[in-house]
Amino acid sequence: FSMEHARRKRAAGRMDFADLEQFALDLLGHRPGNGGRTTPAAAACRERYEMVLVDEAQDLNEAQDAILRAVARPAPDGNRFLVGDVKQSIYRFRFAEPRLFQEYAREWGRADTPGRVLPLTGNFRSAESLLGFVNAVFHAIQRPEAGGVDYDGDARLRFG
């Protein structure tokens, strides 16, 4: 079925989002087994893009992360800027891997790396008493073994 579906899409000159991801991976050379070689297309992107900005990075999937790594420069001259909140990851049905964002945060949060993590926990839109209630509830129920997040430290919301 998959092969026939793909054949008909190509015959009609059509692609879907998954096709675009896979063709981008082919173009950028980030397929398993290629030894991490950078293609001319990926090198051109790395040279051209001053910054690679990703919003909702907690919802990256493996293919999107590979594309991101292909077009962005690696450390120490890295140019990736990711924004996200793993507690808000809702796209597992699209193969989102929140652990990718968590791995970036762990790696970039270490003192021996050029990356940085800036927790944005301030909240100006909610009453302080509401934030206290939310923090108390989620501190009690959100644990790494149930959802992959510990609701302590930088996960807690702060007023202001």
Side-chain angles (χ1 to χ4, degrees), residues 44-86:
C45 289
R46 287 179 176 186
E47 189 171 312
R48 179 177 181 184
Y49 299 144
E50 186 175 331
M51 293 294 298
V52 178
L53 310 172
V54 179
D55 193 14
E56 304 295 345
Q58 75 274 1
D59 290 321
L60 287 171
N61 65 35
E62 297 277 356
Q64 292 162 348
D65 187 55
I67 292 167
L68 172 64
R69 289 175 185 273
V71 301
R73 292 186 296 273
D77 300 319
N79 61 339
R80 286 176 282 174
F81 184 90
L82 309 180
V83 176
D85 181 350
V86 74

Side-chain angles (χ1 to χ4, degrees), residues 47-140:
E47 189 171 312
R48 179 177 181 184
Y49 299 144
E50 186 175 331
M51 293 294 298
V52 178
L53 310 172
V54 179
D55 193 14
E56 304 295 345
Q58 75 274 1
D59 290 321
L60 287 171
N61 65 35
E62 297 277 356
Q64 292 162 348
D65 187 55
I67 292 167
L68 172 64
R69 289 175 185 273
V71 301
R73 292 186 296 273
D77 300 319
N79 61 339
R80 286 176 282 174
F81 184 90
L82 309 180
V83 176
D85 181 350
V86 74
K87 298 183 307 296
Q88 295 182 29
S89 182
I90 60 170
Y91 287 105
R92 296 256 176 137
F93 67 94
R94 284 178 155 173
F95 307 108
E97 288 288 348
R99 71 168 171 72
L100 295 170
F101 184 71
Q102 291 172 308
E103 288 169 7
Y104 278 113
R106 270 192 297 278
E107 179 185 339
W108 292 357
R110 293 191 333 248
D112 64 336
T113 65
R116 286 189 290 158
V117 174
L118 304 171
L120 302 175
T121 57
N123 184 315
F124 298 95
R125 296 180 288 184
S126 303
E128 193 168 5
S129 58
L130 178 62
L131 296 178
F133 173 77
V134 168
N135 283 334
V137 169
F138 282 97
H139 178 74

